[in-house]
Amino acid sequence: MRTQTKCDQEYLLNLIDSPGHVDFSSEVSTAVRLCDGAIVVVDAVEGVCPQTQVVLRQAWLENIRPVLVINKIDRLIVELKLTSQEAYTHLQKILEQVNAVTGTLFTSKVLEKQAEREEEEEEKQHEWGGDPACDWSSRQEEVDDSLLYFSPDQGNVVFASAIDGWGFSIQQFAHIYNRRMGIKAEVLLKTLWGDFYLDAKAKKIMKGAQAKGKKQLFVQLVLDNIWSLYDAVVTRRDKEKVEKVVTSLGIKVLARDLRHSDPKVLLSAICSQWLPVSQAVLLMVCEKLPSPLEMAAERVEKLMSVGARRFDSLPENTQELKRAFLRCSSAGKEPLIIFVSKMFAVEAAALPQNKQRPLTQEEMAHRKELARQRHADRMAADGEDSAHSESLPAWHDTAKVESLTLKVSNPEEKAEQQTFIAFARVFSGVAKKGQRVFVLGPKYDPAQGLCTLPEGVSASDGVCDVPHLSCCSMESLYLLMGRELEELEDVPAGNVLGIGGLEDSVLKSATLSTSPACPPFTPLNFEATPIVRVAIEPKHPSEMPKLVRGMRLLNQADPCAEVLIQETGEHVLVTAGEVHLQRCLDDLRDRFAKIEFSASKPIIPFRETVVRPPKVDMVNEDLGKQQKVAIIHKVKEEALASRLSDTLHVDSTGLVTLITPNRLATVSVRASPLPPEVTSLLERSTELIRTLEQINMSLREGRSLDISPRTLEAIAGFKVQLESLLQGRKWRNVVEHVWAFGPRRYGPNILLNSVQGYQRPSLWQCLGGRGQASEAAAPAAVMRDLDNSIVSGFQLATLSGPMCEEPLMGVCFSVEKWDIQDSLEDKGKGSGATLAEASEDRPLKPEAAANCYGPVSGQLIAAMKEACRRAFQAQPQRLMAAMYTCEIITTADVLGRVYGVLGKREGRVLHEVMKEGTDMFIIRAVLPVAESFGFADEFRKRTSGLASPQLVFSHWEVISSDPYWVPTTEEEYLHFGEKADSANQSLKYMNAVRRRKGLYVEEKIVEHAEKQRTLGKNK
C-alpha cells in the first residue's frame, strides 16, 4: 500500500475478522492472541455494548494496542435527525464511555503494581508512609498512559459510515485545510477536536467555544460539510447543489449514478471518492498499531509465564528465548516458536493440492497428442476384439461397470471429508513445509524436559518419555486469503498462517517449537462461559459411531464448545448460549456427522444450597418460637422415619449422627450456609484452590515442588480474604480448620475439621514450611489412614445434592465427631475405644494400614456422604438458578412490551436509563437461564424488531421460594388454601430436573376422578 506520508512504504497486513455476538466471544480470544493490534468497531447510536467491553478487556489482557472506529454515523443524520452540534456532543459521550472502560482496566493495573512495589519497599526499609491516596495518584502519574486512551487528535479514532463508503480521521481534514486555508497541519491536529473555534475576523483559532456559544472547529470544518452533503443528496435531492459539491471536491461521478432513483447510490459514489473508509482505516492501522518487531517485553513474559510460575523462576535457556521473541527474526539460527490458537475445518476439495489448476499451452498440446494416439490404438484394438466379444461371459461387462462406478465415487467421498487446518502465528524463526517440531502440552515443564532430553536434541531425533511433550510434522503451510488457501513452502516470523497435518497432535490450541526449552503459552482468556447443554442421540441407532465422530470433530473445531458423556451414557454438547448452540447443531448436522439426530431440550444447570431459617412466613407474618420448633421437629420426624433410629440420629440443632452398617465408625456432621461473599470468593479462586490442592498432594507424597513466590503470595492473600469474610463468633478460627473444598476438591463448598483431638496437617501448610507440617502430622498417623475416606464422602455429597442430584454451592459441612473402632476383635474387649485412643496406647498394626482401603473405608465414604445429605436436609433448602445479565437498547414506543416480555419470563429490571438527546432507553435486567430459550425471538416479535437483547452469563442466584413449603399457620391456610397449589417456581424447576434424570417426582396425576356423564347420554 502507498501511504500519504512523505516516504512511500509497503505494508503486509493480516486482518482477522471476528463475530460481534456475545456468544462468540471465544472467537475474539483466539484472534487476539495472534495479533499485534485490534480495530474496535462501535455503533454511533448504541454506543458501548457488553461485547465492546468484552473486546476491550480481552485486548487489555493480551497486551495489544486497540484503535477505534465509530461506525454508522449516517444513522445520526437520517434516523435520529441530530444536528451537527448535537452529533458532536453525542460522539464525545461515546468516546468518554470507551475511555471509561479502558481507564478502569488501567487503574486496576496501577493499583496491582503499586501493591507489589509497596511490599518490596516494606521488606527493604520500614520508612514508607503517607496517605495512600497520594501514593496512588503519584504512582498513576508515573505510568505513561499517553497511548492508552482514544482521542481523535492522537490519530487512533476514525469516524465512518461503512454502508455509505466513507470514513475519515482528523489527520485527513488537517491536510485538506492546510492546503486550502494555509493553517499549519500541526496546529489543526491539536485543535480540530476539542473546545476550539475559528475567529473569522482575527483569522485565529481560539479556545473556549462552548463558553462563548461558538461552533467547535470539528463541527464547523468537518461535520457541517458532511451534514450539508446528506441534505443535498438524500433529503432535498438538489441537483444543482450536488453538481457544485462534486465540482468543488474535484471528483467525477458517472451520469447513471446522478440519474439513479436511489439517492444512496449517488451518495456512495461521491463519498467513496472523497473520503474512502478503507484508506482512513488502513492509514490508522499502519501508523498507530505496532509491528511484530515492536512487541512489548511485558507481553512476552506474560505469554511464557504459564500456571503458577514466574518468568524469573524459568530455566536460563527458557529465559533466553525472550530475546528471540523480541527480535522476531527469520534467521536460520533462530528457534522456531509457533502458537496455534484454534483448529478450523475445511473440505478436502478446498485444499490447493486437490484443486485443478489451469493447463499451460505446452501441457495442452502434449495431452492432445496423447489423446490422438490413444484413439488410434483403441480403433486398432476394436477390430481385433470384435471376433472374441461373443465368447466373453455376461458378468464381465457388469464387473467393468462396477469398477468404473467405484473409481468415480471414491474421489467424491474423499472430497467431502473434513480436514483440519491449524490457525497459527510464527513468533520466531521460519516455518518450513515438512519440518518436524515439538508439540508442547499446557502442562509441559521446560525444566523437566531439559533434564530428561539430551543437549542439542531436535524433534527429528524423536522424543524420550517426557510428559506432555510430543513430536509432529508440519505437512503443509497455507496463506489464508479469505476463503482461499495458497500453499507455501516457508513462512517467516511475524506472519499468520495455516498449518496442515496437526489434527492428530493438537486438540484446540498448542505451542509448537523446535526447542524443548520453550514453555507452553498461557491459556487463552475465554470471556464466555459454556452454560447451555443439550443431550444428542441419532435417529437411527446404527449411526451412533458417525455421531460420536462428528461430535469429536465439532469439539476440535469450536474453541468454546465442550463435548462430554454423562454418567447416564448421554452424549452432551455444552455451548455458550442459544445462538452458539444453534450454530453448533447446524455444523454437526451439515458438516461433521452428516446424519439426522434429535437434540433434547436444553439441560439447565442448577445448584443446591441451604439458607438461614426464615424469620417470616409466606404471608410476611413473624414466625413465633413455637412455630419454628414445630417445623424443625416435623422435618426431623420424617428423617427419622425414613431410616432406622439406631443408625441415624438428628438432634434439634441439626446435628446428624450416622453409624456405619458394620458398627465400626460413627460420624457427626452439621451443615450451615456460607456467607454469599465467601461463595463468590471461592468461585473466583477455583484455579488458585486447584493449585493449592496440587501443592498439598505433592507434600503428602513427599515430592519436591518449586513454588513461585507469586503463587505463595496469592494463596496467603486468599487465606486473608477468607478470614476477613468469615467474621463473628460462629466462624472464629474456622479458616485454620478447613479440611477440604468441594466438589472436585476446588468447588464453592467447605469441609471443616471440628473433631476434638484430631490434629491433621493444615491445608495451608505450604505457607508455614514443610517441617512444621511434618511435626503436626506425627500424632495423627493412625487417623490419617481413613482421612481420605471422609474427604471422598464429602466430595460425593457435594457433587450431587438430595434435592435433584445437582452440585451443592455455598454450604459448609462441619465434622464434629468421628469415632472408629480399631478392629472387630477388639469390640468385645472395649467397644468404647476409639482409634485416637488406640494410637496413643500402641503403635499402628500393619493389618490396619493394609485395610485402609478395605470394607471399612467404603462404608465410611457411604456414611459420610449420607450424613452430609441428611445434614443438608435438616436445614432450609433452596435451589440456585444460573442468571443472565440482559442489556436492551430500545425506543420509548415499545418500552411497555419490553417490560411485558421480561415479566413473563421471571426477569427483573435493575435500572433503566434514557440516552440524552435521543428517545433510546438502555435497560439492564437479570433473567434466569432456564427462561431464556426463545427469549430473543419473542423479544423481536413483540417489539417488531426495534429491540434486541444481549445475554451474558452473570452469576448464580438463590430462588427465594421453598420447594418443600406447605401451609402451616392459619394465615397461610387462608391465603393459599388447603392444597396450596399456587405456582411454586422452585418446585417447578426441581421437578423438571428430577423428571429428566429419572428420579421420583411427587405429584398428583389425577384429582377428583369421578365418573362424568357425557352430553350424548343426557339426551
Side-chain angles (χ1 to χ4, degrees), residues 436 438-439 444 448-455 457-471 516:
R436 285 188 66 80
F438 292 113
V439 180
Y444 171 69
Q448 186 180 3
L450 290 171
C451 294
T452 308
L453 295 172
E455 190 174 351
V457 70
S458 65
S460 55
D461 300 334
V463 183
C464 303
D465 190 14
V466 180
H468 311 290
L469 181 70
S470 60
C471 290

Short mmCIF file of all heavy atoms in Angstrom, two decimals, residues 436 438-439 444 448-455 457-471 516:
data_model
loop_
_atom_site.label_atom_id
_atom_site.label_comp_id
_atom_site.label_asym_id
_atom_site.label_seq_id
_atom_site.Cartn_x
_atom_site.Cartn_y
_atom_site.Cartn_z
N ARG A 436 9.75 -30.97 11.26
CA ARG A 436 9.27 -31.62 12.48
C ARG A 436 9.50 -30.67 13.66
O ARG A 436 10.55 -30.04 13.78
CB ARG A 436 9.99 -32.95 12.74
CG ARG A 436 9.51 -34.06 11.82
CD ARG A 436 10.08 -35.42 12.22
NE ARG A 436 9.61 -35.88 13.51
CZ ARG A 436 8.42 -36.45 13.72
NH1 ARG A 436 7.57 -36.60 12.73
NH2 ARG A 436 8.08 -36.87 14.93
N PHE A 438 8.38 -29.86 18.09
CA PHE A 438 7.83 -30.35 19.35
C PHE A 438 6.45 -29.73 19.57
O PHE A 438 6.25 -28.54 19.32
CB PHE A 438 8.73 -29.96 20.53
CG PHE A 438 10.07 -30.64 20.54
CD1 PHE A 438 11.24 -29.92 20.35
CD2 PHE A 438 10.17 -32.00 20.76
CE1 PHE A 438 12.47 -30.54 20.36
CE2 PHE A 438 11.40 -32.64 20.77
CZ PHE A 438 12.55 -31.91 20.57
N VAL A 439 5.51 -30.54 20.06
CA VAL A 439 4.20 -30.05 20.46
C VAL A 439 4.20 -30.01 21.99
O VAL A 439 4.31 -31.05 22.64
CB VAL A 439 3.07 -30.97 19.94
CG1 VAL A 439 1.71 -30.42 20.38
CG2 VAL A 439 3.12 -31.10 18.44
N TYR A 444 3.28 -28.95 30.14
CA TYR A 444 4.69 -29.27 29.91
C TYR A 444 5.59 -28.35 30.75
O TYR A 444 5.38 -27.14 30.81
CB TYR A 444 5.01 -29.11 28.43
CG TYR A 444 6.49 -29.21 28.11
CD1 TYR A 444 7.17 -30.41 28.23
CD2 TYR A 444 7.21 -28.08 27.70
CE1 TYR A 444 8.53 -30.51 27.97
CE2 TYR A 444 8.56 -28.15 27.41
CZ TYR A 444 9.22 -29.37 27.55
OH TYR A 444 10.56 -29.47 27.28
N GLN A 448 11.86 -29.84 33.38
CA GLN A 448 11.87 -31.31 33.36
C GLN A 448 12.30 -31.82 31.98
O GLN A 448 13.05 -32.79 31.87
CB GLN A 448 10.47 -31.82 33.70
CG GLN A 448 10.39 -33.33 33.83
CD GLN A 448 8.98 -33.79 34.17
OE1 GLN A 448 8.06 -32.98 34.24
NE2 GLN A 448 8.80 -35.08 34.38
N GLY A 449 11.84 -31.13 30.92
CA GLY A 449 12.21 -31.55 29.57
C GLY A 449 13.70 -31.41 29.31
O GLY A 449 14.32 -32.28 28.70
N LEU A 450 14.31 -30.31 29.78
CA LEU A 450 15.75 -30.09 29.57
C LEU A 450 16.58 -31.09 30.35
O LEU A 450 17.68 -31.48 29.91
CB LEU A 450 16.12 -28.66 29.97
CG LEU A 450 15.59 -27.55 29.06
CD1 LEU A 450 15.84 -26.18 29.68
CD2 LEU A 450 16.24 -27.62 27.69
N CYS A 451 16.08 -31.51 31.53
CA CYS A 451 16.81 -32.51 32.32
C CYS A 451 16.74 -33.89 31.68
O CYS A 451 17.69 -34.67 31.73
CB CYS A 451 16.25 -32.58 33.74
SG CYS A 451 16.53 -31.08 34.69
N THR A 452 15.60 -34.22 31.08
CA THR A 452 15.39 -35.56 30.53
C THR A 452 16.04 -35.72 29.15
O THR A 452 16.70 -36.73 28.87
CB THR A 452 13.88 -35.85 30.43
OG1 THR A 452 13.27 -35.59 31.69
CG2 THR A 452 13.64 -37.30 30.03
N LEU A 453 15.85 -34.72 28.29
CA LEU A 453 16.35 -34.82 26.91
C LEU A 453 17.83 -34.51 26.85
O LEU A 453 18.33 -33.65 27.59
CB LEU A 453 15.59 -33.85 26.00
CG LEU A 453 14.09 -34.12 25.82
CD1 LEU A 453 13.44 -32.98 25.08
CD2 LEU A 453 13.87 -35.43 25.05
N PRO A 454 18.57 -35.16 25.94
CA PRO A 454 19.99 -34.83 25.76
C PRO A 454 20.14 -33.43 25.16
O PRO A 454 19.26 -32.93 24.47
CB PRO A 454 20.50 -35.92 24.80
CG PRO A 454 19.27 -36.42 24.12
CD PRO A 454 18.14 -36.29 25.09
N GLU A 455 21.29 -32.82 25.41
CA GLU A 455 21.52 -31.44 24.94
C GLU A 455 21.60 -31.43 23.41
O GLU A 455 22.20 -32.30 22.79
CB GLU A 455 22.81 -30.91 25.55
CG GLU A 455 23.00 -29.42 25.30
CD GLU A 455 24.22 -28.89 26.03
OE1 GLU A 455 24.80 -29.64 26.85
OE2 GLU A 455 24.59 -27.73 25.78
N VAL A 457 19.12 -31.82 21.30
CA VAL A 457 18.17 -32.72 20.64
C VAL A 457 17.20 -31.91 19.80
O VAL A 457 16.88 -30.75 20.11
CB VAL A 457 17.42 -33.56 21.70
CG1 VAL A 457 16.45 -32.69 22.49
CG2 VAL A 457 16.68 -34.71 21.06
N SER A 458 16.74 -32.49 18.71
CA SER A 458 15.74 -31.84 17.85
C SER A 458 14.54 -32.77 17.73
O SER A 458 14.59 -33.94 18.09
CB SER A 458 16.32 -31.53 16.47
OG SER A 458 16.64 -32.73 15.79
N ALA A 459 13.47 -32.24 17.17
CA ALA A 459 12.24 -33.01 17.04
C ALA A 459 12.40 -34.17 16.07
O ALA A 459 11.71 -35.19 16.17
CB ALA A 459 11.10 -32.10 16.57
N SER A 460 13.32 -34.04 15.10
CA SER A 460 13.53 -35.12 14.14
C SER A 460 14.24 -36.32 14.75
O SER A 460 14.18 -37.43 14.21
CB SER A 460 14.34 -34.61 12.93
OG SER A 460 15.54 -34.03 13.39
N ASP A 461 14.91 -36.12 15.92
CA ASP A 461 15.60 -37.23 16.58
C ASP A 461 14.66 -38.13 17.36
O ASP A 461 15.08 -39.17 17.86
CB ASP A 461 16.66 -36.68 17.55
CG ASP A 461 17.69 -35.83 16.83
OD1 ASP A 461 17.88 -36.06 15.63
OD2 ASP A 461 18.27 -34.93 17.48
N GLY A 462 13.40 -37.71 17.52
CA GLY A 462 12.48 -38.47 18.35
C GLY A 462 12.51 -37.96 19.78
O GLY A 462 13.41 -37.21 20.18
N VAL A 463 11.55 -38.36 20.56
CA VAL A 463 11.39 -37.85 21.92
C VAL A 463 11.44 -39.00 22.91
O VAL A 463 10.87 -40.06 22.68
CB VAL A 463 10.05 -37.10 22.06
CG1 VAL A 463 9.92 -36.51 23.46
CG2 VAL A 463 9.95 -36.00 21.04
N CYS A 464 12.16 -38.75 24.02
CA CYS A 464 12.12 -39.71 25.11
C CYS A 464 10.77 -39.60 25.82
O CYS A 464 9.91 -38.82 25.43
CB CYS A 464 13.26 -39.44 26.09
SG CYS A 464 14.89 -39.48 25.31
N ASP A 465 10.63 -40.35 26.87
CA ASP A 465 9.36 -40.35 27.59
C ASP A 465 9.28 -39.11 28.48
O ASP A 465 9.50 -39.16 29.68
CB ASP A 465 9.26 -41.64 28.43
CG ASP A 465 7.86 -41.80 29.00
OD1 ASP A 465 6.96 -41.09 28.52
OD2 ASP A 465 7.68 -42.62 29.91
N VAL A 466 8.96 -37.96 27.85
CA VAL A 466 8.81 -36.69 28.58
C VAL A 466 7.33 -36.39 28.66
O VAL A 466 6.64 -36.37 27.63
CB VAL A 466 9.55 -35.55 27.86
CG1 VAL A 466 9.38 -34.24 28.64
CG2 VAL A 466 11.02 -35.89 27.70
N PRO A 467 6.78 -36.16 29.87
CA PRO A 467 5.34 -35.88 29.98
C PRO A 467 4.95 -34.62 29.20
O PRO A 467 5.67 -33.62 29.21
CB PRO A 467 5.13 -35.70 31.49
CG PRO A 467 6.32 -36.32 32.13
CD PRO A 467 7.45 -36.18 31.17
N HIS A 468 3.80 -34.69 28.54
CA HIS A 468 3.18 -33.55 27.84
C HIS A 468 4.05 -33.01 26.71
O HIS A 468 3.97 -31.83 26.38
CB HIS A 468 2.84 -32.43 28.82
CG HIS A 468 2.12 -32.89 30.04
ND1 HIS A 468 0.82 -33.34 30.00
CD2 HIS A 468 2.52 -32.98 31.35
CE1 HIS A 468 0.44 -33.69 31.22
NE2 HIS A 468 1.45 -33.49 32.05
N LEU A 469 4.92 -33.86 26.14
CA LEU A 469 5.75 -33.44 25.01
C LEU A 469 5.65 -34.50 23.91
O LEU A 469 5.81 -35.69 24.18
CB LEU A 469 7.21 -33.26 25.44
CG LEU A 469 8.18 -32.79 24.35
CD1 LEU A 469 7.90 -31.35 23.97
CD2 LEU A 469 9.63 -32.95 24.81
N SER A 470 5.36 -34.06 22.70
CA SER A 470 5.28 -34.98 21.57
C SER A 470 5.86 -34.30 20.34
O SER A 470 6.22 -33.12 20.38
CB SER A 470 3.83 -35.41 21.31
OG SER A 470 3.02 -34.28 21.02
N CYS A 471 5.97 -35.05 19.26
CA CYS A 471 6.52 -34.52 18.01
C CYS A 471 5.50 -34.67 16.90
O CYS A 471 4.66 -35.58 16.92
CB CYS A 471 7.79 -35.27 17.61
SG CYS A 471 9.18 -34.93 18.69
N PRO A 516 13.15 -27.59 23.02
CA PRO A 516 12.42 -28.12 24.19
C PRO A 516 12.47 -27.16 25.38
O PRO A 516 11.76 -27.37 26.36
CB PRO A 516 13.17 -29.42 24.51
CG PRO A 516 14.52 -29.24 23.93
CD PRO A 516 14.39 -28.36 22.74
#
